[in-house]
Amino acid sequence: MPKQVDHQERRETIARALWRVVEQRGATHLTLREVAQEAGISLGQLQHYFGSRAELLAFAMDLAGEQSALRVGRALAGLGERPHPRAVLRAMLVELLPLHADARATSRMSAAYVLEALHDEGVHARARGSLLQGRAAVEQVVRQAIADGMIAADRDPVVETDLLLALTGFTTLLELNVVEPAAVLAAVDQYLDRLFAAEAGNPR
C-alpha cells in the first residue's frame, strides 16, 4: 500500500524549512522555491499546501508561536501550580528575545512577517491580531499582580505592559552584537525587581 501522508506533519516540515532559510540565509531568500529546496520537495508539492509566500509565512509564524508558548510552559512547569508573576513575565520576555536558536529563528521570521504586513492588508490584520493577543496576555499578568499587591497599586497596568514589551527592543542590539546576552538578562531582571519592589515593602 502507498504510504499515507500526514498533511499536518508535512505542513510543519515545510514551516520548519522556512525557519531554517530565514535563520541561515535571511529574509531576502524567503521564496517558495528556496523553502521547497530546503524541505527537500518540489515547488509543486509545496504549492499543494501553501498557495503563496504570505500564507506559508503566516502558518510558520503560528507554529512558531505555539512552540514559544510550549517553551514558556516548560520553563514554568517546575515552579508549582501558580508560578510567581515575576517568573511568568521573565519567561515570556526572555522567550521573545533571540537568546537561543529557536528564538533567533522566530525573531528573524517575525521581522520578515512585519515587512510583509506593511504591504499586505490580510497579513497586517493577522499579525496585528497575534500581537494584540500576546500583549493582552502580558497585561493580564501585570493586572493580577497589582490586584494581589505584588506590584504597587499606583502603577498603570497599560503603561507597565508597554514598558515590559519595550524590553524586546534589545532584539536588534543582540542580533548585531552590540550588547551581550548576560547584559540584557541583567537589565530585564533589574527592571522586574523595580516593578515588583512593592512586594518587598519598598515601592519605587
Side-chain angles (χ1 to χ4, degrees):
M1 291 181 61
K3 184 180 178 181
Q4 295 258 333
V5 177
D6 184 326
H7 293 291
Q8 179 63 18
E9 182 180 349
R10 177 62 64 84
R11 286 165 68 87
E12 291 184 7
T13 297
I14 294 169
R16 287 188 169 87
L18 180 149
W19 296 355
R20 293 194 297 275
V21 169
V22 174
E23 166 75 9
Q24 298 166 11
R25 285 169 259 172
T28 56
H29 289 273
L30 189 55
T31 65
L32 295 184
R33 190 175 300 279
E34 286 279 349
V35 174
Q37 183 177 352
E38 179 66 31
I41 60 176
S42 70
L43 178 60
Q45 286 176 303
L46 185 148
Q47 289 174 320
H48 175 73
Y49 295 96
F50 301 101
S52 69
R53 181 178 183 273
E55 185 182 342
L56 171 55
L57 190 54
F59 178 83
M61 283 302 301
D62 288 346
L63 181 60
E66 292 170 10
Q67 295 298 311
S68 293
L70 287 173
R71 288 193 293 272
V72 170
R74 285 195 294 269
L76 297 173
L79 302 179
E81 290 186 14
R82 290 194 62 191
H84 194 285
R86 185 194 185 283
V88 174
L89 290 171
R90 188 183 194 277
M92 295 169 83
L93 286 173
V94 169
E95 181 58 35
L96 290 172
L97 293 167
L99 295 170
H100 57 79
D102 289 337
R104 278 194 298 276
T106 300
S107 174
R108 293 170 188 180
M109 190 166 53
S110 295
Y113 197 43
V114 169
L115 290 175
E116 195 86 20
L118 294 176
H119 305 285
D120 185 308
E121 289 186 5
V123 176
H124 184 282
R126 189 182 183 110
R128 182 174 183 274
S130 179
L131 288 172
L132 285 171
Q133 185 176 12
R135 189 193 175 287
V138 174
E139 186 175 330
Q140 182 178 8
V141 176
V142 172
R143 285 186 179 277
Q144 190 60 54
I146 292 173
D148 291 342
M150 296 178 180
I151 295 175
D154 61 352
R155 296 289 187 114
D156 184 331
V158 173
V159 173
E160 294 304 333
T161 299
D162 290 340
L163 290 171
L164 284 166
L165 292 176
L167 292 170
T168 63
F170 277 119
T171 293
T172 301
L173 299 177
L174 284 165
E175 289 281 33
L176 298 180
N177 300 315
V178 175
V179 295
E180 294 295 323
V184 171
L185 291 174
V188 169
D189 283 330
Q190 187 170 119
Y191 186 82
L192 288 171
D193 286 345
R194 291 176 180 175
L195 182 61
F196 284 88
E199 189 178 22
N202 180 31
R204 282 186 256 176

